[in-house]
Amino acid sequence: MKKALNILFIGLLCPVIGMAQVADGAFGYYNDAYMFGRSNYTYGSTARMQALGGAQISLGADMSSAGSNPGGLGMLNRSVFSFTPSLNNHNTDATYQGGTLGTYRNNFNFANLGVAFNTNKGDYTSEKFKGGTFAITLSRTNDFNDEITYTGRNSDNSIIDSFIEQAGTTNPENLGGFAGSAYENYLIDPLYDDNDNLVGYGSLVLGFPQQSETIRRSGSQYDLNFAWGGNYDDKVYFGASLGFVTARYYTKRTYTEDQFIYEDENGNPTVDDWIDYTKITDELTINGSGVNGAFGVIVRPISVVTIGVTYKTPTFYSMDEESEFRHDTRWNNVTLEDGTILNDRNFTSDLYVGQYNLRSPAKLTAGASFFMGKLGFISGEFDMVDYSSSQLKSSDFSVIADNQSIQGIYGTTFNYRGGAEFRLDNLRFRAGYAYFGDPYTGDDGFDRSSRNITGGVGYRSQDFFIDLAIINSKSQELYTPYSITNNQPEAAFDKTTTTVAATVGFNF
């Protein structure tokens, strides 16, 4: 199975946690539960809301309200069309075995696109119910684009040692996954006792290698929202939305070991000239769709304060995946005592196709805004998300261990966002900050939270508006290239993403 094969390459789907928290028999789908569950409407907001750090739950009157708090649509008094192109620059500094290597990748996308149709009854109606707004929006709620390369010399072990552990005492004819490919590549050799009983496997390679890996990811999640928000007496704004989610994730990982060095009988470093390199190329594609809903309200207790609350239901996904890997080893035509010639070897796995269902966690968000007349406003909010409530189902494999891992690894996290806008005639100046908490409950001392610093400007007229935003995001990930009992190698990724977004909108 794909995840059984990928268990040696735990990590790219999400930061790796302490293996003691992972239930025996887990295939790694608990990583998927977090990756797709951490979607956030801030990614797909208009440039105005992105510049405010994403603090929008109590603001309303914006196209982003359809995905964040549909009650905010009730604040619109005109119909609106807007679109928000965005450019992301992803930079990663990967530290491994004492060395650091930087890589980058750019990605262009549309963060938000939508139209809102207003049907309010005008400012002078005596009715308490003032009307409402119906909106259709497409918003980007997750971004998987990335490219990472790390390299370093491992003086403790090799991935071949991991293959030996995985093989155990399994008959060579029954080996599967990477252990099977290692056997086909002559990297591991069965060991027998005097009674011809298999007692394990050994390696034909001497010493410790230079290790390197390049990880390329692409894909995103989008929400197509159908939302409506109403206005009651300019004091209570309420609404609901129905979202249809699409998700696509692709990753290609190329892992290489070469330059194996050992100490000869005189204690001198010597390159193992039997082998040139061994390389594994692993590809995974996930396509999925889902549905969710949201309910929200904004209350204006006094003229200068608004308070907003939103509940977003779990997203119910159906996921289809495909994966395969190729293992290549270049030997230098060495002839063993039994006549075996070590030459170029390769192994290509069968294409694995699978399906599973995922329920992501619900999200509760609350916030408040304080308005300072024509000068502007200050807004703040927080999310509460329980990632341990995610759940997997599948008829293709057992999800028991992965669901146990979800409950053991993840907990409740709180996310905080705040922003302010200063107004000068038709101009708007904005700044914000956002903090997304670490959902992992392990005590490995690694901080997986992320932080955004944001800013932007805007221009507003009666029929037209344009907003610009820049977002600087920082986060960290911990990654293991393979799993081994002792001296587990780990790479630390320091990630910085700079996003530039622009919204162009028209009132009609």
Side-chain angles (χ1 to χ4, degrees), residues 239-295:
S241 67
L242 179 64
F244 297 92
V245 184
T246 61
R248 184 183 185 279
Y249 174 83
Y250 170 78
T251 178
K252 181 177 181 180
R253 299 175 287 189
T254 303
Y255 177 88
T256 304
E257 289 191 353
D258 57 12
Q259 303 176 41
F260 290 82
I261 294 179
Y262 66 97
E263 291 186 358
D264 63 15
E265 62 274 11
N266 298 319
N268 298 317
T270 303
V271 176
D272 184 351
D273 57 6
W274 281 22
I275 187 172
D276 190 1
Y277 66 80
T278 187
K279 178 173 68 174
I280 296 176
T281 302
D282 179 22
E283 294 184 79
L284 168 65
T285 301
I286 302 176
N287 288 297
S289 59
V291 62
N292 58 38
F295 308 90

Side-chain angles (χ1 to χ4, degrees), residues 167-410:
T169 57
T170 303
N171 188 293
E173 296 181 358
N174 298 327
L175 287 175
F178 291 132
S181 70
Y183 176 72
E184 295 292 334
N185 277 259
Y186 296 149
L187 293 171
I188 63 175
D189 196 41
L191 303 176
Y192 299 91
D193 62 17
D194 294 338
N195 296 319
D196 205 30
N197 296 315
L198 179 64
V199 295
Y201 288 81
S203 173
L204 293 178
V205 180
L206 296 177
F208 301 109
Q210 180 77 16
Q211 300 173 326
S212 62
E213 185 173 12
T214 295
I215 305 165
R216 295 183 178 90
R217 296 189 292 182
S218 62
S220 60
Q221 286 173 246
Y222 275 92
D223 277 14
L224 176 63
N225 285 296
F226 296 87
W228 181 87
N231 178 348
Y232 182 81
D233 201 25
D234 290 327
K235 294 181 180 180
V236 179
Y237 309 90
F238 54 94
S241 67
L242 179 64
F244 297 92
V245 184
T246 61
R248 184 183 185 279
Y249 174 83
Y250 170 78
T251 178
K252 181 177 181 180
R253 299 175 287 189
T254 303
Y255 177 88
T256 304
E257 289 191 353
D258 57 12
Q259 303 176 41
F260 290 82
I261 294 179
Y262 66 97
E263 291 186 358
D264 63 15
E265 62 274 11
N266 298 319
N268 298 317
T270 303
V271 176
D272 184 351
D273 57 6
W274 281 22
I275 187 172
D276 190 1
Y277 66 80
T278 187
K279 178 173 68 174
I280 296 176
T281 302
D282 179 22
E283 294 184 79
L284 168 65
T285 301
I286 302 176
N287 288 297
S289 59
V291 62
N292 58 38
F295 308 90
V297 62
I298 298 176
V299 178
R300 191 188 301 275
I302 58 177
S303 61
V304 296
V305 173
T306 56
I307 300 172
V309 178
T310 299
Y311 173 77
K312 190 160 190 176
T313 70
T315 300
F316 296 89
Y317 290 99
S318 176
M319 299 293 195
D320 297 296
E321 61 178 356
E322 294 183 355
S323 66
E324 60 184 343
F325 73 91
R326 178 183 172 90
H327 191 171
D328 298 281
T329 302
R330 172 164 290 181
W331 296 92
N332 292 322
N333 294 320
V334 178
T335 302
L336 302 182
E337 293 181 357
D338 62 0
T340 300
I341 299 176
L342 301 182
N343 50 19
D344 290 356
R345 302 289 295 177
N346 62 75
F347 175 90
T348 301
S349 71
D350 294 332
L351 178 68
Y352 171 79
V353 178
Q355 191 278 333
Y356 64 95
N357 297 323
L358 168 65
R359 184 190 69 193
S360 71
K363 180 187 297 182
L364 180 65
T365 307
S369 298
F370 175 73
F371 296 86
M372 298 171 287
K374 295 182 178 181
L375 291 178
F377 60 81
I378 299 174
S379 183
E381 65 191 40
F382 72 93
D383 296 329
M384 183 174 68
V385 186
D386 181 8
Y387 287 95
S388 68
S389 65
S390 299
Q391 190 174 46
L392 295 156
K393 289 185 178 181
S394 179
S395 58
D396 291 346
F397 58 92
S398 173
V399 299
I400 294 175
D402 280 278
N403 281 331
Q404 290 174 338
S405 299
I406 288 172
Q407 295 178 14
I409 293 169
Y410 307 124

Side-chain angles (χ1 to χ4, degrees), residues 94-101 149-155 157 208-213 255-258:
T95 301
Y96 185 70
Q97 302 294 336
T100 301
L101 184 65
T149 298
Y150 67 86
T151 186
R153 177 164 296 282
N154 189 334
S155 58
N157 53 60
F208 301 109
Q210 180 77 16
Q211 300 173 326
S212 62
E213 185 173 12
Y255 177 88
T256 304
E257 289 191 353
D258 57 12

